[in-house]
Amino acid sequence: MPHAFDFTASPFDCLDDAERRVVSDSVDIAYYREGETLLDPGIEPACLFVLIKGRVTQFEGDEQVAQYAAGDSFDGRSLVAGRASGRFVAAEEVVTYQLAKAAVKALISRNATFGALLFSDLSIKLGALAQRHSQREMQALARARVAEAYLRPAHEIDGAASVVDAAQRMQSGRTSSVLVRDGAGTGERLGIFTNTGLQRAVADGRSLDTLPVRDFTSFALVTVTPRTPLFDALAAMIQHQVHRLVVVDGTRIVGLLEQLDLMSFLSNHSYLITAQIVQAQDLQALRTQAERIGRLVDLLWRGGTRVGQIGRLVQALNSKLFERTWQLVAPAALQRESCLFVMGSEGRGEQLLKTDQDNGLVLRDDASTPDAEVEAACARFSAALRDFGYPDCPGNIMVSNAAWRRRASDFAATVRRWLLQPDPEGLMSLAIFIDAQAVAGNASLLAKLRAEIDTLVAADDALLGRFAAAIDLFPGATGGWWNRLLLGEGDRQALDVKKAGIFPIVHGVRSLALREHLDVTGTLARLEGLVAAGRLGAELAASLGDSLHVLMQLKLKAGLAELEAGKPVSGGVQTDRLSSLERDLLKDALGVVKRFKALVRHQFHLESV
């Protein structure tokens, strides 16, 4: 081999010793002058190019669609297809390996991961990467399902049975709970009787053998299926503040997933954080837990947990943190007659690190709390979150801003104004508000406002078009981004992946979901709903979900690096620090974004908006 080939770069890092010898025996080095063409459209490639030095630009027609730098390889797809689909031109002097086509085909036939990373689409590449890391403990954990954990048998008792009968059943079954099936009243219902219910019965003071167990049973069951990811089960426990979940498969009860059994799988401290949040008696105690949430994100990320699962867990933990904070700073009457909600990435469950506060408050029209007390409580809440590390929103979308704390009728009028007299600021406020998620108080107040949007949007295609048009809010964010992937040491700049990719995916999906009246806030949940409604192809939906997670992953990695260096999180990704694999995934993800934006423009006829 004419030069020390770098086997640490993707996709060559997945080769074994024998496969590496195939490369060593079949590779050569070539030189190209600036402006010289390496491949022309329609030409059958004779080799795979692996750049040692310089940059190569890929064109489709006159449009620049990709750029490659040292460590990058191309064009695997052309090798498989038998002809090049684009033109590859040296943007400067280029030195490159040329790996013979026969050797590449031999490697693909021997090593499926190599083939997937070389020429497949984004979803298959990510699947191959997950397969490569399948032996890592947290990666296996991320794929684990409820069925893989230990499920305790479910013992049932009739609701008319006494508390003594229930306690005896718990003792004989060596369990801390029994399911209660009750036919009294209108229709049959299923609940759970636990040690907590037993304590309440004892405190009641009456004879336990005369008390029907139904009176001390919780009928608000939280259920999961055997196929539910364990991280989702953990998030459900945190969200509903329960110690066990009922596992159901259709109408059949499979068993119970207990907190301790789940914790034997999940070796993180999220439950301890939750318990200490709920028990916190002052803001300083909550500040400590807010810091621990950040450390947990770092732990999970370094352990290989997928960003989507981290996001759902962070959403559940933050929700408890914000709820307890509100309980400590707001008068009890205000808590009862209002709904505190979060918006944006926090509302969608896609926030990973502490970013801008996006929150609001809606009060009942007949709320008795004086305006001055409401203002003071909201100011204390915003200040507390600021102290916890959540910076103020640059757009002042916070409860401390009177525009984002209103009585229900006033808020409804504001929402109608956003809808019926839209301007750029109003449409952006609407987009943020559509992702709202209640975290404390009377959630029905927020639900009524969301219903107002659904009703008004139903008969206004022009409004939907104006709303969807925000997908092009950052036209320069992706312009020339291929060049920004390959900046030298003296010309470093960050790619804003939120503007370039995350926002177009999130807002495009949000617009489609609004048109279909989907009552969910997460981007993945909206994608699933759009597929179920026949409004989006399953393959495109999967690619959009994968692309969103690739971009979130790059943003998280960059943010954690900034925090480790003692810098604030900027949201930018230094593209010159990406590995060749990360650059490849980024190119694929932004390619999906480009196609999706074209689809959204077509669906909403944005050329006429």
Side-chain angles (χ1 to χ4, degrees), residues 6 9-10 50-56 67-74 92-97 485-486 576 578-581 583 587:
D6 182 10
S10 176
V50 185
L51 293 180
I52 301 171
K53 177 185 176 183
R55 294 180 298 143
V56 171
Q67 262 195 355
Y68 302 89
D72 292 340
S73 59
F74 64 90
E92 58 191 40
E93 287 189 336
V94 166
V95 180
T96 180
Y97 293 115
L485 290 178
L486 302 164
D576 57 327
L578 298 179
S579 68
S580 60
L581 175 59
R583 284 199 300 271
K587 291 170 189 173

Side-chain angles (χ1 to χ4, degrees), residues 141-160:
L141 185 62
R143 293 192 305 274
R145 306 286 170 174
V146 165
E148 299 174 49
Y150 174 69
L151 301 182
R152 297 176 184 266
H155 301 279
E156 287 191 24
I157 195 169
D158 188 85

Side-chain angles (χ1 to χ4, degrees), residues 432-483:
I432 294 169
F433 181 75
I434 285 173
D435 294 337
Q437 191 79 21
V439 295
N442 185 352
S444 67
L445 292 168
L446 177 62
K448 290 175 182 176
L449 290 176
R450 293 176 64 89
E452 182 86 16
I453 294 175
D454 199 51
T455 301
L456 291 173
V457 163
D460 198 336
D461 289 341
L463 168 64
L464 284 169
R466 289 191 296 270
F467 182 78
I471 198 171
D472 291 317
L473 190 62
F474 307 110
T478 53
W481 73 270
W482 297 109
N483 290 326

Side-chain angles (χ1 to χ4, degrees), residues 242-492:
V242 296
H243 297 288
R244 57 190 60 78
L245 303 172
V246 180
V247 183
V248 297
D249 189 4
T251 58
R252 183 175 67 92
I253 296 173
V254 179
L256 298 176
L257 177 62
E258 296 272 1
Q259 170 190 331
L260 291 177
D261 300 322
L262 178 59
M263 291 305 293
S264 70
F265 257 83
L266 306 177
S267 57
N268 61 63
H269 304 291
S270 54
Y271 249 104
L272 181 59
I273 294 174
T274 306
Q276 295 192 2
I277 286 174
V278 172
Q279 296 166 11
Q281 297 302 309
D282 54 49
L283 295 178
Q284 181 56 45
L286 287 179
R287 188 179 192 275
T288 300
Q289 301 313 312
E291 293 171 353
R292 294 182 67 187
I293 292 173
R295 292 196 293 271
L296 177 61
V297 170
D298 189 28
L299 172 69
L300 293 173
W301 162 250
R302 295 183 189 282
T305 307
R306 296 173 183 175
V307 290
Q309 292 169 320
I310 296 175
R312 289 192 292 275
L313 193 57
V314 168
Q315 181 188 36
L317 290 169
N318 280 347
S319 179
K320 292 301 175 187
L321 178 71
F322 299 157
E323 178 184 25
R324 186 58 183 152
T325 303
W326 184 242
Q327 290 170 351
L328 290 175
V329 303
L334 176 58
Q335 295 177 41
R336 290 192 300 270
E337 55 195 20
S338 67
C339 176
L340 177 71
F341 56 88
V342 294
M343 297 170 282
S345 58
E346 185 68 63
R348 296 190 306 273
E350 294 160 13
Q351 180 168 297
L352 302 171
L353 297 177
K354 295 173 184 173
T355 55
D356 306 340
Q357 298 183 38
D358 285 326
N359 46 57
L361 184 76
V362 56
L363 296 93
R364 284 188 352 221
D365 284 335
D366 61 350
S368 61
T369 308
D371 290 345
E373 287 188 28
V374 175
E375 181 179 359
C378 289
R380 290 193 294 270
F381 181 80
S382 295
L385 263 58
R386 189 181 308 120
D387 183 54
F388 296 166
Y390 299 88
D392 288 355
C393 173
N396 206 19
I397 302 174
M398 303 158 56
V399 293
S400 55
N401 177 4
W404 285 94
R405 61 172 191 273
R406 299 174 181 269
R407 293 180 185 263
S409 59
D410 189 16
F411 226 132
T414 300
V415 169
R416 285 194 293 271
R417 187 169 61 253
W418 291 340
L419 286 161
L420 303 177
Q421 300 173 350
D423 55 35
E425 184 177 348
L427 286 173
M428 188 49 61
S429 295
L430 178 61
I432 294 169
F433 181 75
I434 285 173
D435 294 337
Q437 191 79 21
V439 295
N442 185 352
S444 67
L445 292 168
L446 177 62
K448 290 175 182 176
L449 290 176
R450 293 176 64 89
E452 182 86 16
I453 294 175
D454 199 51
T455 301
L456 291 173
V457 163
D460 198 336
D461 289 341
L463 168 64
L464 284 169
R466 289 191 296 270
F467 182 78
I471 198 171
D472 291 317
L473 190 62
F474 307 110
T478 53
W481 73 270
W482 297 109
N483 290 326
R484 292 203 296 278
L485 290 178
L486 302 164
L487 296 170
E489 287 294 319
D491 188 25
R492 234 178 232 169

Side-chain angles (χ1 to χ4, degrees), residues 45-111:
C47 63
L48 177 72
F49 295 90
V50 185
L51 293 180
I52 301 171
K53 177 185 176 183
R55 294 180 298 143
V56 171
T57 304
Q58 180 183 353
F59 294 92
E60 288 184 3
D62 294 329
E63 182 183 4
Q64 177 183 327
V65 296
Q67 262 195 355
Y68 302 89
D72 292 340
S73 59
F74 64 90
D75 181 34
R77 290 187 177 95
S78 296
L79 278 176
V80 175
R83 61 185 181 85
S85 59
R87 184 164 52 96
F88 294 79
V89 179
E92 58 191 40
E93 287 189 336
V94 166
V95 180
T96 180
Y97 293 115
Q98 295 185 157
L99 181 59
K101 180 177 181 179
V104 175
K105 288 195 169 184
L107 293 172
I108 291 172
S109 66
R110 289 178 52 130
N111 190 318

